[in-house]
């Protein structure tokens, strides 16, 4: 079979040098080595990479972050994308390209006119998507080529992640790379025959231009169409075999002890002792890895490896929080760090990162008792509440990396977030009294956060010299060291730094803001419900739990179809802050159900409101009906009907920037079994884990969340039952005791004494548990065998955390 790489190399006469890689928001394994979009060189990576040019070619491009740029030109006539809701598609609505949204109209045109389909996939805060839009899709000549010789289709990968996953599988399989924008050429029957990512508009010394690619593909379609079709069919057949995940002849999942040990060893080998994290550069937060390490520590507390796992996770979280990947001025975390030190980030902020990191820092606080971690968790949620929240309770998707340094200027990566020494000196000129030397608030601030006159960004991260004098705030010294350096009081310095950050925050409000992707996704809203619910429960803050409740209410009101019981994937912010939907609606995918169910289970444990648990069970039933593979086990990513016509129906099989929906589903099933006793949930959990046995055996570190669930499944789940009135102080004291302890393998159940309640009907043994002397009483149960009654939170703590 002639591979796509070989085909492009032969047909396009591409150079043989290795292709450069770029970065992109949604790939869990992007490994750029330098500042986003500054350098033409890139490192190699795992399965999710962002390619600089055709995946099957040898083309180099600048490394890339993401950003938004004004893409519409008012004097031009809009194309049909003007009628779409997606912010990404609307950014292309004034291109001189005859764009179609993904759908039957485009497919019918391709078949009727016997033209190849040009599929371009991206998202609204993708830097290289915008670069290509400006350079190529706004080009009149390229627009004519795309409109006359191809049927051109634009897809927002966040609206249609199924389309993105299918064709990214092709791109990665034919190149070992991938990323966004993803550009793939398809037959009229939607089978891919060549693909890539970003293309520059014109040829360079080591680059093939997009116009050249289009001309060559047009020529080959006319002259060698049958060969292209045959090759496309062979590639599709091979991908079908390669992507199959099934129980096969296996009866049981693999040994949890073996998978745990191998996963930990692989992480240990890649761990950065000095700065934390698991790569040289770039470095990603990867909360799924931190969650695995905490779980591994709990089950190996008395061993050297257990202590090591705890240290790895806590140190990584501390270094991240002190680094430039954290927005010290406006809170929240950026997408990833471009260097080993967590110093210079790619500045995009995503909802799913904030949601998962809030949970990770809350768990770190549970384990360590160090308020440093709880403060970070609260800061994350402060940012989300202020900047990513819809007034009706939903949560927006992301803020861009790029913004104009000044109004009317071209957007630039990080412009909103960086500072010069002059700016800080002007904002913080006040003298500091009591210092051992003449000192202003600005000088103290710059010393603590590492600002210098020349700027603190390495020239290797700024090859064009665009960032001279610019600084990214990063904590260079502990509070104690900064205090000692100037002979000041710790609390005084803490106050001065806090006041300095607030002044910078107020000043930053006057800068042009990065683009806000106000699209709301059910999956990420589900993750955010978990973020608020878990953090609120751990810290005992009802205010945060209320935000989680409002998020769940938003999902039920705006993203749930009562008649069919299905979730909708997306909704959008309309004029005057209203909530709008596409017509027809975009229905949910597996991750929407899995992440929302997780959020609802976390919200039930935080609030003890059984209505959320009841809805979680109904959604799980719908998920099983729409996505479960009754023959091979596990869940497909998309509904069969929704994915009709796509050459593959995939199962999500990697925990990355977001956990795999199958990993989350396995854990949901385990918890649902604990809440209801329904054997079907446990059977499905075991079947799913068995289906993914080969994947876990091959590279357990690619599925740390699933390995964690495998361990939980092969242990005994604790059912912690609190008998009491939900609003009573003694009940709340026992509940808060449970939440203060890191116990990932448990369900928390409130038994209010009503035999007709939802949970009493699910778990009849609850009716046998009584309050002791009319006090709120706790029982710790395993396999429906319960401990002696406990009324004292201290005694409960001893039992749960010996």
């Amino acid at each position: 079979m002639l591979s796509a790489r070989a085909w492009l190399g032969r047909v396009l006469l591409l150079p043989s040098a290795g292709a450069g890689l770029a970065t992109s928001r949604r790939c869990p394994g992007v490994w750029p080595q330098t500042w986003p979009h500054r350098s033409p060189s890139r490192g190699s990576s795992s399965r999710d990479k962002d390619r600089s040019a055709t995946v099957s070619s040898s083309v180099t491009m600048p490394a890339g972050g993401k950003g938004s740029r004004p893409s519409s030109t008012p004097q031009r006539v809009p194309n049909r994308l003007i009628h779409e809701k997606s912010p990404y598609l609307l950014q292309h609505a004034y291109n001189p390209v005859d764009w179609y949204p993904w759908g039957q109209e485009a497919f019918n045109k391709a078949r009727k006119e016997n033209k190849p389909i040009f599929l371009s996939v991206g998202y609204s805060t993708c830097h290289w998507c915008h670069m290509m839009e400006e350079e190529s899709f706004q080009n009149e000549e390229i627009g004519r080529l795309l409109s006359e010789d191809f049927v051109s289709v634009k897809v927002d990968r966040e609206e249609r992640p199924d389309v993105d996953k299918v064709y990214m599988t092709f791109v990665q399989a034919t190149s070992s790379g991938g990323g966004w924008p993803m550009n793939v050429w398809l037959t009229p029957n939607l089978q891919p025959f060549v693909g890539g990512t970003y293309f520059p508009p014109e040829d360079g010394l080591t680059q093939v231009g997009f116009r050249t690619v289009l001309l060559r593909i047009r020529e080959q379609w006319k002259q060698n169409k049958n060969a292209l079709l045959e090759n496309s069919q062979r590639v599709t057949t091979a991908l079908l075999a390669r992507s199959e995940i099934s129980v096969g002849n296996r009866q049981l999942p693999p040994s949890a002890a073996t998978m745990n040990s191998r996963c930990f060893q692989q992480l240990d080998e890649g761990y950065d002792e000095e700065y934390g994290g698991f790569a040289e550069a770039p470095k990603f937060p990867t909360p799924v890895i931190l969650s695995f390490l905490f779980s591994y520590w709990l089950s190996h507390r008395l061993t050297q490896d257990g202590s090591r796992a705890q240290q790895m996770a806590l140190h990584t979280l501390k270094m991240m929080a002190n680094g430039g990947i954290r927005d010290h001025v406006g809170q929240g975390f950026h997408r990833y760090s471009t260097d080993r030190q967590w110093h210079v980030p790619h500045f995009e902020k995503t909802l799913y990162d904030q949601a998962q990191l809030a949970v990770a820092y809350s768990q770190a606080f549970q384990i360590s008792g160090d308020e440093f971690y709880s403060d970070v968790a609260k800061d994350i949620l402060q940012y989300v509440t202020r900047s990513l929240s819809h007034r009706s309770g939903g949560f927006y998707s992301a803020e861009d990396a790029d913004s104009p340094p000044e109004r009317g200027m071209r957007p630039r990566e990080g412009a909103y977030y960086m500072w010069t020494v002059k700016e800080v000196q002007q904002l913080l000129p006040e003298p500091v009294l009591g210092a051992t030397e003449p000192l202003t608030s600005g000088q103290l601030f710059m010393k603590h956060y590492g600002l210098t006159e020349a700027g603190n960004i390495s020239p290797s991260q700024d090859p064009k010299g665009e960032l001279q004098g610019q600084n990214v705030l990063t904590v260079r010294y502990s509070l104690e060291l900064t205090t000692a350096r100037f002979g000041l009081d710790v609390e005084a310095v803490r106050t001065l730094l806090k006041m300095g950050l607030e002044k910078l925050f107020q000043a930053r409000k006057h800068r042009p803001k990065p683009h806000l992707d106000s699209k709301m996704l059910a999956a990420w809203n589900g993750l955010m419900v978990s973020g608020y619910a878990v953090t609120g429960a751990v810290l005992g803050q009802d205010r945060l739990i209320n935000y989680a409740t409002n998020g769940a209410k938003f999902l039920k009101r705006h993203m749930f179809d009562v008649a069919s019981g299905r979730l909708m994937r997306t909704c959008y912010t309309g004029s005057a802050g209203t909530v709008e939907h596409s017509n027809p609606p975009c229905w949910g995918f597996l991750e929407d159900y899995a992440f929302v169910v997780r959020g609802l289970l976390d919200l039930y444990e935080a609030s003890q409101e059984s209505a959320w648990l009841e809805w979680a069970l109904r959604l799980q039933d719908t998920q099983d009906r729409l996505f479960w593979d009754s023959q091979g086990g596990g869940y497909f990513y998309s509904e069969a009907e929704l994915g009709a016509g796509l050459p593959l129906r995939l199962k999500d099989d990697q925990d990355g920037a977001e956990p795999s929906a199958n990993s989350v589903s396995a854990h949901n099933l385990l918890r649902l079994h604990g809440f209801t006793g329904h054997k079907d949930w446990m059977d499905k959990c075991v079947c799913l884990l068995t289906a993914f046995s080969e994947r876990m055996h091959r590279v357990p570190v690619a599925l740390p969340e699933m390995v964690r669930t495998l361990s939980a499944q092969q242990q005994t789940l604790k059912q912690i039952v609190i008998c009491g009135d939900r609003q009573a102080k003694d009940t709340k004291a026992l509940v808060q005791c449970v939440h203060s302890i890191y116990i990932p393998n448990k369900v928390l159940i409130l038994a209010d004494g009503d035999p007709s309640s939802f949970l009493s009907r699910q778990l009849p043994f609850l009716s046998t548990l009584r309050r002791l002397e009319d006090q709120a009483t706790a029982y710790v149960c395993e396999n429906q065998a319960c401990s002696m009654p406990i009324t004292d939170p201290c005694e409960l703590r001893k039992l749960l955390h010996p």
Side-chain angles (χ1 to χ4, degrees), residues 142-446:
I142 288 175
R144 279 194 299 272
L145 282 170
L146 287 171
S147 302
E148 293 173 4
D149 298 305
F150 304 89
V151 176
S152 297
V153 176
K154 255 294 167 198
V155 167
D156 183 336
R157 69 173 301 265
E158 293 167 357
E159 282 189 332
R160 290 301 302 261
D162 58 331
V163 174
D164 177 67
K165 287 177 183 292
V166 165
Y167 294 110
M168 187 62 75
T169 298
F170 165 77
V171 168
Q172 291 170 339
T174 55
S175 75
S176 78
W180 299 276
M182 176 176 67
N183 298 298
V184 185
W185 285 263
L186 317 177
T187 71
N189 290 325
L190 307 184
Q191 293 182 335
F193 59 89
V194 69
T197 56
Y198 167 86
F199 294 89
E202 301 295 338
D203 298 344
L205 290 176
T206 60
Q207 298 173 312
V208 62
F210 186 54
R211 187 172 65 88
T212 299
V213 172
L214 291 174
L215 291 171
R216 298 292 175 84
I217 291 178
R218 180 183 69 176
E219 178 184 355
Q220 288 300 309
W221 184 258
K222 291 178 179 178
Q223 296 181 359
N224 298 308
K225 182 176 66 176
N226 289 337
L228 290 180
L229 294 173
E230 290 173 8
N231 188 59
S232 176
Q233 182 59 54
R234 285 195 295 269
V235 170
T236 300
T237 301
L239 290 176
L240 279 169
R242 173 175 171 170
S243 62
E244 183 181 4
I245 296 174
S246 176
V247 169
N249 296 323
R250 290 176 289 271
Q251 301 297 316
L252 292 171
S255 160
T258 301
M259 293 300 98
N260 249 323
S261 177
R262 287 187 57 204
C263 189
F264 172 73
Q265 292 303 325
Q266 289 175 350
L267 290 171
D268 192 30
E269 290 168 6
Y271 177 65
D272 184 337
E273 297 284 353
E274 186 173 1
Y275 295 103
F278 301 91
E280 286 294 313
K283 281 186 174 174
F284 290 79
T286 54
V288 289
I289 289 177
L290 303 173
S291 178
F292 167 81
L293 290 171
F294 284 146
S295 180
Y296 187 87
W297 160 77
L298 187 65
S299 58
H300 297 77
R301 274 184 299 172
L302 302 180
T303 69
Q304 185 175 352
D305 281 352
S307 298
R308 168 78 169 163
Q310 183 200 56
Q311 180 270 332
M312 289 162 65
L314 292 177
H315 182 59
T316 296
L317 286 167
K318 185 156 283 190
M319 296 304 291
M320 284 169 49
N322 286 332
I325 191 175
R326 182 183 178 194
D327 180 1
H328 296 277
V329 173
Q331 297 83 44
F333 279 80
H334 300 294
R335 178 73 277 270
Y336 60 82
S337 172
T338 64
D339 52 58
R340 179 188 170 204
Q341 295 83 5
W342 303 104
H343 177 199
V344 181
H346 168 49
F347 288 92
E348 182 189 13
K349 290 179 174 180
T350 65
L351 182 67
Y352 63 82
D353 274 332
Q354 316 309 321
Q356 295 177 92
L357 286 171
V359 173
Y361 278 97
S362 297
Q363 291 173 339
F365 172 65
Q366 283 179 310
I367 290 166
S368 69
D370 187 342
E371 291 186 359
F372 172 87
Y373 299 106
S374 60
D375 288 343
V376 176
K378 287 185 285 188
D379 274 359
I380 292 170
L381 298 184
Q382 180 183 348
Y383 161 69
V384 174
T385 302
R386 182 185 68 245
S387 299
L388 294 180
S389 294
H390 188 275
R391 66 186 185 189
S392 297
F395 304 104
Y396 304 133
S397 292
E399 284 192 307
D400 213 324
D402 293 16
S403 60
E406 297 179 19
R407 301 194 187 281
M409 295 180 66
R410 192 175 187 275
R412 193 174 70 194
E413 168 106 26
Y416 187 69
Y417 299 100
M418 293 186 287
W419 300 89
T420 64
V421 164
K422 182 179 179 181
E423 287 173 321
V424 174
Q425 287 175 332
Q426 289 176 343
L427 289 168
L428 305 175
E430 305 86 356
V432 177
L433 302 178
T436 55
E437 60 187 75
L439 183 71
T440 67
S441 295
Q443 290 170 326
L444 173 72
F445 187 92
M446 291 187 290

Side-chain angles (χ1 to χ4, degrees), residues 30-211:
V30 181
W31 305 112
Q33 290 180 324
T34 52
W35 172 263
H37 78 269
R38 305 296 178 196
S39 166
S41 64
R42 269 322 199 222
S44 62
S45 145
S46 65
R47 59 172 263 187
D48 286 312
K49 302 174 184 174
D50 205 350
R51 278 291 195 184
S52 60
T54 66
V55 166
S56 37
S57 72
S58 305
V59 183
T60 304
M61 74 177 254
K66 295 154 290 276
S68 69
R69 289 170 168 75
S71 57
S72 61
T73 307
Q75 64 269 27
R76 292 181 180 173
V77 177
N79 55 51
R80 59 176 56 79
L81 296 185
I82 197 68
H83 303 296
E84 298 299 308
K85 297 289 186 186
S86 159
Y88 176 63
L89 267 56
L90 288 171
Q91 288 167 347
H92 293 76
Y94 287 89
N95 296 160
V97 177
D98 188 20
W99 287 119
Y100 284 79
W102 181 266
Q104 200 60 47
E105 183 183 7
F107 311 151
N108 289 343
K109 178 180 172 69
R111 290 161 190 162
K112 180 180 178 181
E113 300 180 9
N114 195 24
K115 290 180 179 178
I117 294 170
F118 169 65
L119 171 66
S120 185
V121 181
Y123 53 96
S124 85
T125 55
C126 164
H127 173 80
W128 286 105
C129 300
H130 293 294
M131 288 294 292
M132 194 162 178
E133 190 271 337
E134 289 179 12
E135 297 169 346
S136 293
F137 299 144
Q138 289 188 28
N139 181 288
E140 296 285 348
E141 181 185 357
I142 288 175
R144 279 194 299 272
L145 282 170
L146 287 171
S147 302
E148 293 173 4
D149 298 305
F150 304 89
V151 176
S152 297
V153 176
K154 255 294 167 198
V155 167
D156 183 336
R157 69 173 301 265
E158 293 167 357
E159 282 189 332
R160 290 301 302 261
D162 58 331
V163 174
D164 177 67
K165 287 177 183 292
V166 165
Y167 294 110
M168 187 62 75
T169 298
F170 165 77
V171 168
Q172 291 170 339
T174 55
S175 75
S176 78
W180 299 276
M182 176 176 67
N183 298 298
V184 185
W185 285 263
L186 317 177
T187 71
N189 290 325
L190 307 184
Q191 293 182 335
F193 59 89
V194 69
T197 56
Y198 167 86
F199 294 89
E202 301 295 338
D203 298 344
L205 290 176
T206 60
Q207 298 173 312
V208 62
F210 186 54
R211 187 172 65 88

Side-chain angles (χ1 to χ4, degrees), residues 445-509:
F445 187 92
M446 291 187 290
K447 183 72 173 178
H448 187 73
Y449 287 106
L451 279 71
T452 68
E453 191 76 45
N456 64 9
I457 298 170
S458 166
S460 66
Q461 295 173 294
D462 180 29
K464 294 184 179 180
E466 297 175 337
L467 305 176
Q468 291 182 4
Q470 297 291 332
N471 292 271
V472 176
L473 268 59
T474 182
V475 177
R476 287 297 173 88
Y477 304 99
S478 69
L479 195 63
E480 290 74 17
L481 282 175
T482 300
T483 298
R485 167 69 177 79
F486 297 108
L488 296 167
D489 176 72
V490 169
E491 287 307 313
V493 171
R494 191 194 309 275
T495 300
L496 286 169
L497 293 175
K498 186 175 180 180
M499 291 172 58
L501 290 172
E502 177 60 24
K503 287 187 177 181
L504 266 64
F505 178 72
Q506 295 301 326
R508 201 170 77 175
K509 287 182 177 180

Side-chain angles (χ1 to χ4, degrees), residues 556 560 565 593-594 596-601 604 609-625 635 668-678 680-681 684 747 758-763:
K556 196 164 189 179
F560 177 63
Y593 289 84
V596 170
V597 168
R598 170 188 272 188
L600 295 174
L601 296 180
Y604 166 72
E609 293 183 17
S610 62
W612 301 122
L613 181 58
E614 293 183 54
W615 190 32
L617 264 67
R618 291 200 299 273
L619 287 178
Q620 186 65 51
D621 284 335
T622 304
Q623 175 182 320
D624 292 347
R625 173 170 55 86
Y635 292 98
N668 288 346
L669 291 168
L670 197 62
R671 294 173 76 184
L672 287 167
H673 175 259
F675 280 120
T676 67
H678 294 178
D680 182 54
W681 301 132
K684 273 192 166 63
V747 292
F758 174 74
L759 275 167
S760 293
R761 297 196 308 271
Q762 303 294 320
L763 297 171

Side-chain angles (χ1 to χ4, degrees), residues 519-532:
K519 176 175 72 271
M520 289 170 275
L521 302 172
W524 298 357
N525 272 251
L527 289 176
M528 202 65 243
V529 169
S530 285
Y532 275 105

